[in-house]
Amino acid sequence: MKKSRNLQAAGWLLSVLLSTTAVAHAASNKVVIGDIDDMSGVYADVIGPGGVEAAKMAIEDFGGSVLGNKIEFMVTDHQNKPDIGAQKFREWADTANATMILGGSNTGVSLAMATVAKEKKVPFIAIGAAGASLTGKDCNAYMVHYAYDTTALGNGTATTMVKQGGKSWFFLTADYAFGTQLQESAAHVVTANGGKVIGAVRVPLATSDFSSFLLQAQSSGAQVVGLANAGNDFTNSLKAFNEFGLGKTMKPAALLAFISDIHSLGLQTAQGLYLTTGWYWDLNDKTRAFGKRYFAKTKRMPTMNQAAYYSATLTYLNAVKAAGTTDSDKVMAELHKAKINDMFSSNGKIRADGLMEHEMYVMQVKKPQDSKYPWDYYSLVQTMSGEEAFGKLSNSACPLVTH
């Protein structure tokens, strides 16, 4: 009888251990996605709360769970401060078991977060941060750069404007890593195509008065004012450009503009602008279908970055499903194998340097009389292949790329 009790006890203990192991395994495979982005500042309209909505749509479309666990989603505001972004990333990795972090909207913040991603071995998908160094000299094995970068933006807008006669440039540049890299990229394109850079002025983030900076641009005699900024800084600088009548002698170059900016400015102000984008809601049947679904929820059409939030979230979840685990190295391997064919990208791929390479588009903002329905703002000027826009992988400065 005693032997029987011992066997029963042993069997019970074994079942408890197996059950505990199964629970622990399930817990370790729980997907926890964190969104660290600008929710209230200069870039809030570009992604912000609208990006949260797009990511939630992706989670819902995926079914809400993966590997037997409900998908968790967390949100915080980095306030465009690198230390806050890095601190929250580290906190979520240590205490919330975050399996992937979305966000950025600021190159300086994303560079800080990428450092933590490497340290904690947690995948980080940067969207909205444009700096090409994220997948260049500052790349790491846990970093993915979605949507666009400064190289693609320069290759699109600057090339188009120089070829149309805008040979001499003066830059209004956001005074941090993003602005610096965007100016460098555009300036390289300008000089490579026979143009010249006459000057530049650095403008603090979230500047409200652009008058002194624009007067410097005007006095330079340049044909083009390169607006190496984004979000509210872009819209405020373009409004001031028009108010001061600079359009009589100069043309503005929108080096990074979003449909939310054009909607805010109105076609009367923004008409004729050239810009480069990775996505537009009215581009094809897939983009229109997503745009209409998103509009039904938010009463606004999605920006390129908000659409990228949806795509990146779905791409990550598919990688987790394919890997059968949330193990970062195995998920990253699946991401690098993925062919991204969805409402955002056709034949997109995540290169060895972490860049999501896909087609980019040069657009021109329509005149008011040419817009046929709400949010009908762009005319397609040129489609660039992924390699044409972002450059060859063999030219990447990322140490992970074997040349």
Side-chain angles (χ1 to χ4, degrees):
M1 180 68 72
K2 187 175 182 181
K3 185 175 181 182
S4 175
R5 285 200 192 100
N6 287 341
L7 286 172
Q8 285 178 335
W12 175 81
L13 180 60
L14 179 62
S15 68
V16 169
L17 288 171
L18 288 172
S19 174
T20 303
T21 302
V23 170
H25 180 70
S28 69
N29 273 332
K30 190 168 190 176
V31 167
V32 181
I33 298 173
D35 177 17
I36 304 175
D37 188 33
D38 178 2
M39 295 294 167
S40 57
V42 66
Y43 301 135
D45 279 350
V46 174
I47 306 181
V52 173
E53 189 63 49
K56 287 182 175 178
M57 286 174 66
I59 292 169
E60 183 180 333
D61 287 352
F62 192 80
S65 64
V66 64
L67 305 182
N69 293 293
K70 186 177 179 181
I71 299 161
E72 292 186 8
F73 188 74
M74 309 178 294
V75 181
T76 194
D77 187 345
H78 62 47
Q79 301 172 45
N80 288 300
K81 296 179 179 178
D83 57 334
I84 292 178
Q87 182 271 330
K88 183 55 70 171
F89 196 127
R90 186 172 284 107
E91 177 189 324
W92 281 353
D94 289 340
T95 64
N97 297 315
T99 58
M100 187 270 277
I101 300 294
L102 280 169
S105 275
N106 181 304
T107 298
V109 177
S110 289
L111 287 168
M113 289 165 61
T115 299
V116 183
K118 181 180 179 181
E119 172 195 333
K120 298 296 182 180
K121 297 185 177 181
V122 174
F124 169 42
I125 303 181
I127 301 168
S133 74
L134 285 162
T135 49
K137 65 181 181 65
D138 298 312
C139 74
N140 72 67
Y142 300 94
M143 171 84 196
V144 175
H145 198 182
Y146 233 78
Y148 59 91
D149 69 6
T150 48
T151 300
L153 296 172
N155 283 337
T157 305
T159 300
T160 300
M161 294 198 69
V162 173
K163 288 183 177 178
Q164 293 194 358
K167 296 288 187 178
S168 59
W169 286 57
F170 186 97
F171 289 93
L172 262 62
T173 303
D175 192 13
Y176 74 107
F178 153 67
T180 300
Q181 293 188 37
L182 185 53
Q183 179 187 323
E184 288 174 353
S185 175
H188 174 76
V189 170
V190 169
T191 55
N193 283 277
K196 60 182 178 179
V197 176
I198 293 178
V201 60
R202 302 184 72 80
V203 184
L205 190 65
T207 290
S208 57
D209 184 1
F210 281 85
S211 57
S212 64
F213 307 111
L214 286 167
L215 287 172
Q216 290 182 58
Q218 186 179 40
S219 64
S220 74
Q223 295 169 306
V224 178
V225 180
L227 302 177
N229 53 17
N232 291 344
D233 283 348
F234 166 73
T235 57
N236 288 334
S237 60
L238 187 63
K239 285 177 184 176
F241 177 94
N242 286 337
E243 287 168 4
F244 291 133
L246 268 64
K248 296 173 184 176
T249 57
M250 314 177 80
K251 288 187 177 180
L255 294 173
L256 181 54
F258 298 90
I259 198 167
S260 54
D261 302 325
I262 306 307
H263 187 73
S264 172
L265 289 164
L267 294 182
Q268 190 64 43
T269 298
Q271 62 181 311
L273 274 177
Y274 289 98
L275 59 90
T276 302
T277 186
W279 190 86
Y280 174 48
W281 78 271
D282 206 11
L283 192 64
N284 56 49
D285 289 343
K286 284 185 178 180
T287 59
R288 279 188 284 274
F290 176 77
K292 289 172 182 177
R293 283 183 59 209
Y294 185 90
F295 186 89
K297 290 178 176 289
T298 66
K299 306 309 175 190
R300 296 171 65 87
M301 282 299 176
T303 65
M304 161 178 44
N305 288 346
Q306 289 158 349
Y309 252 52
Y310 177 93
S311 175
T313 302
L314 215 51
T315 297
Y316 169 75
L317 293 173
N318 282 322
V320 170
K321 182 179 179 180
T325 176
T326 56
D327 177 85
S328 294
D329 292 318
K330 292 178 180 177
V331 171
M332 290 303 302
E334 290 295 334
L335 285 170
H336 283 290
K337 288 193 290 186
K339 295 295 183 187
I340 303 168
N341 291 298
D342 60 10
M343 40 55 74
F344 184 81
S345 168
S346 176
N347 294 316
K349 62 181 180 181
I350 297 171
R351 306 188 324 187
D353 57 0
L355 175 72
M356 203 283 266
E357 182 182 297
H358 58 99
E359 290 182 337
M360 295 287 291
Y361 310 96
V362 178
M363 301 284 189
Q364 187 172 28
V365 178
K366 290 185 173 183
K367 296 176 181 178
Q369 62 268 28
D370 294 332
S371 177
K372 305 302 181 188
Y373 38 85
W375 298 87
D376 174 26
Y377 294 159
Y378 297 164
S379 295
L380 178 62
V381 175
Q382 180 190 355
T383 299
M384 297 186 291
S385 69
E387 189 172 282
E388 184 182 1
F390 295 98
K392 294 181 178 181
L393 177 61
S394 59
N395 293 331
S396 175
C398 174
L400 300 172
V401 178
T402 54
H403 296 289

